[in-house]
Amino acid sequence: KGKSAKVQTASSGLLYKLVTSGLLISHPNNRMRFIHPVLGGYLAGRAMTAFNAEDALLRQPNWSGKFLAMRYFAAHGNAAHLVDSMLAIEDKILHRPVLTAARWLRDAPREAAWRGKIMAGLARLLLSEENPRSLRAQAMAAFALCGDPGAATFFRQSLQSLSFELIALAALGSGAIQDTKAVELLASTISGPSPSARRASCLALVSIGTPSALEAVARALLQGDDDTRRSAAEALANDPKDGYEMLRDGTTLPDILVRRAVVYGLARVDTPWAREALETIQVKDDQWIVRT
């Protein structure tokens, strides 16, 4: 690419068009600003791909424009040096460099060689038992939002871990990306010893929403212990179609524990029919453990 990039200067006519289209807003004293900071970040990042501007970006103080420009630089240019510099920054408490770089994955080219470095950093962050759950959850969310097919495989492998906390996070990740291949592993997790993993698996299965996934949740509602039944019912409240129908049917079943669990699910459904059903149960159910 030995050619020098040509920079187009903005003319008054172009600025006028940007203002009339709503992309720019005019202020007194010939000042203008973008209607949304993402527009400025996109244009800055796209323009910087024509120059060796990574070091200039890194030297700036942390602010939204800097991070937006980095994101769109990575989407349109070779961000290998930028990624290496970010990952070299030491932050043992919040791990902000790797989590910031992870936001670039969604827009970046799939063939970019530097993607693997960020994915590896996220994996280390998520797998480390020394990190707090909130930090590991951020890494899980970054995996789920990155759009990389390797995330589904990583979550399925993590579902077979011996760490209950990792299993719960992997279950939520599998549900977030609606990985149908994880249904069998999630269904087996519902019968495991960890309450948090069971709750996460119920939520994930309802999010996936296939017949086999919903069947596993229905089985948990009918056959699980008290905590599992409640988790299943509360998860079904996230599905306005089949989940609502299961909760309606559950109010009429003879099993006291099912009806009691269904109450928790109905409490999460903010609709008139759900409130009416709860009021009916409160008055007419023949078991005090369900009414209360």
Side-chain angles (χ1 to χ4, degrees):
K1 293 183 179 180
K3 300 179 180 179
S4 60
K6 293 182 179 180
V7 181
Q8 183 178 1
T9 58
S11 65
S12 58
L14 177 59
L15 291 175
Y16 175 78
K17 290 178 181 179
L18 291 173
V19 171
T20 55
S21 67
L23 293 178
L24 287 178
I25 296 179
S26 251
H27 291 280
N29 300 322
N30 294 322
R31 294 178 180 271
M32 294 182 176
R33 66 179 175 86
F34 287 104
I35 188 70
H36 196 285
V38 170
L39 295 172
Y42 172 84
L43 294 174
R46 183 72 181 266
M48 286 180 177
T49 60
F51 309 95
N52 296 322
E54 297 98 318
D55 292 329
L57 266 177
L58 289 167
R59 285 195 298 269
Q60 286 195 14
N62 292 337
W63 67 293
S64 60
K66 170 185 177 179
F67 295 126
L68 285 169
M70 283 181 170
R71 174 180 174 180
Y72 291 109
F73 183 99
H76 298 287
N78 182 7
H81 174 61
L82 193 61
V83 170
D84 289 340
S85 300
M86 286 290 288
L87 297 183
I89 300 173
E90 189 172 354
D91 184 359
K92 294 182 179 180
I93 298 177
L94 298 178
H95 297 271
R96 283 171 293 191
V98 65
L99 291 174
T100 297
R103 298 175 181 174
W104 309 342
L105 293 172
R106 185 192 300 184
D107 302 313
R110 290 283 177 86
E111 64 276 9
W114 51 264
R115 292 178 65 96
K117 296 179 181 180
I118 299 178
M119 298 285 282
L122 289 175
R124 288 192 295 271
L125 184 57
L126 182 54
L127 293 173
S128 175
E129 296 287 335
E130 297 178 357
N131 293 323
R133 179 181 296 185
S134 59
L135 194 59
R136 300 173 77 185
Q138 291 183 60
M140 179 276 292
F143 261 115
L145 295 173
C146 73
D148 196 296
T153 303
F154 178 76
F155 286 143
R156 288 198 297 272
Q157 292 173 346
S158 299
L159 284 171
Q160 303 173 65
S161 167
L162 298 178
S163 167
F164 293 139
E165 187 169 292
L166 178 59
I167 292 172
L169 291 171
L172 293 174
S174 297
I177 62 177
Q178 297 182 316
D179 180 19
T180 57
K181 294 182 179 179
V183 169
E184 186 175 345
L185 288 169
L186 291 167
S188 64
T189 302
I190 291 181
S191 58
S194 169
S196 61
R198 293 198 299 264
R199 287 192 289 271
S201 296
C202 287
L203 289 168
L205 288 166
V206 171
S207 176
I208 293 170
T210 62
S212 57
L214 293 175
E215 182 182 344
V217 180
R219 189 163 55 248
L221 177 62
L222 296 174
Q223 301 174 4
D225 59 23
D226 285 349
D227 184 74
T228 303
R229 291 174 192 255
R230 174 175 174 175
S231 298
E234 290 178 334
L236 288 171
N238 291 342
D239 183 354
K241 187 180 177 183
D242 296 322
Y244 284 10
E245 191 62 33
M246 289 183 189
L247 293 176
R248 283 194 190 96
D249 293 342
T251 61
T252 64
L253 293 180
D255 191 325
I256 300 171
L257 296 180
V258 172
R259 298 204 307 276
R260 181 174 184 271
V262 163
V263 168
Y264 289 101
L266 290 174
R268 296 193 63 237
V269 179
D270 187 15
T271 60
W273 71 263
R275 289 192 292 272
E276 184 179 344
L278 287 171
E279 291 169 358
T280 302
I281 293 171
Q282 184 184 30
V283 175
K284 295 185 177 180
D285 197 279
D286 60 359
Q287 297 294 326
W288 69 268
I289 196 173
V290 180
R291 293 195 304 270
T292 55

